[in-house]
Amino acid sequence: NQLSTLPDSFGQLQALLSLELSHNELGTLPENFGHLQALSSLRLNRNKLSTLPESFSELWALQLLELNNNELSTLPESFGQLRILQSLELNFNQLSTLPESFGQLRVLQSLELERNQLSTLPESFGQLSALQSLCLNRNKLSALPERICQLVALQSVKLTCNEVSTIPDC
């Protein structure tokens, strides 16, 4: 498809449970996108999103979020309010930092951040107590923080093509 915008009225679809608008030309989302409060699955891969509206953190039912292959350079500071998010894919973006609120995603089980510009992880990263799978391939990480030792559920870590020279002694 070639959708470049969504109408403001899109936020009125308050019973919507699942939405896939991948492979479009979306550059922004309407400010009232957060009104889709029943939404549990959202796939917006291969668009042109550079930012997310502040209301995005009001998607309280969201469990699966895929934003691969966009142009995201930052996430809203309120991103951690997506408290029941279980799977998050942000591969192939331009993220250089993650918000400190990221640690509030305490039921997150799978996190993919391949091919971004991350050089550090937030202090709160160690609070992702349910995290089982972590992909950080092709970023700019030079070290893993000590707080990675707090991720006791972690089963898989991918760090290919970073600049890691030390790993913490857990």
Side-chain angles (χ1 to χ4, degrees), residues 72-75 90 93-98 113 115-119 139:
L72 294 169
S73 57
T74 61
L75 297 174
L90 291 163
N93 278 286
Q94 298 167 13
L95 295 169
S96 57
T97 61
L98 298 174
L113 289 161
R115 286 201 187 245
N116 279 282
Q117 305 293 319
L118 296 170
S119 58
N139 277 281

Side-chain angles (χ1 to χ4, degrees), residues 67-96:
L67 291 166
N68 299 311
N69 295 89
N70 277 284
E71 299 170 6
L72 294 169
S73 57
T74 61
L75 297 174
E77 183 51 47
S78 58
F79 196 81
Q81 293 176 18
L82 301 174
R83 305 239 169 142
I84 65 168
L85 193 62
Q86 295 175 17
S87 178
L88 175 58
E89 295 182 15
L90 291 163
N91 300 313
F92 294 86
N93 278 286
Q94 298 167 13
L95 295 169
S96 57

Side-chain angles (χ1 to χ4, degrees), residues 18-121:
S18 179
L19 177 61
E20 178 157 358
L21 288 172
S22 297
H23 297 273
N24 277 288
E25 303 289 324
L26 294 172
T28 60
L29 298 173
E31 187 49 49
N32 66 359
F33 197 80
H35 294 174
L36 303 174
Q37 293 183 351
L39 200 61
S40 64
S41 174
L42 177 59
R43 290 180 171 97
L44 293 171
N45 301 311
R46 296 192 181 273
N47 277 284
K48 295 184 176 184
L49 296 171
S50 58
T51 61
L52 299 174
E54 199 57 41
S55 70
F56 199 84
S57 60
E58 296 171 20
L59 299 173
W60 296 308
L62 205 56
Q63 295 177 39
L64 179 140
L65 176 58
E66 294 179 7
L67 291 166
N68 299 311
N69 295 89
N70 277 284
E71 299 170 6
L72 294 169
S73 57
T74 61
L75 297 174
E77 183 51 47
S78 58
F79 196 81
Q81 293 176 18
L82 301 174
R83 305 239 169 142
I84 65 168
L85 193 62
Q86 295 175 17
S87 178
L88 175 58
E89 295 182 15
L90 291 163
N91 300 313
F92 294 86
N93 278 286
Q94 298 167 13
L95 295 169
S96 57
T97 61
L98 298 174
E100 192 58 38
S101 70
F102 210 78
Q104 295 172 14
L105 302 174
R106 298 223 170 95
V107 298
L108 189 65
Q109 296 173 12
S110 176
L111 175 58
E112 295 186 15
L113 289 161
E114 185 168 350
R115 286 201 187 245
N116 279 282
Q117 305 293 319
L118 296 170
S119 58
T120 62
L121 298 173

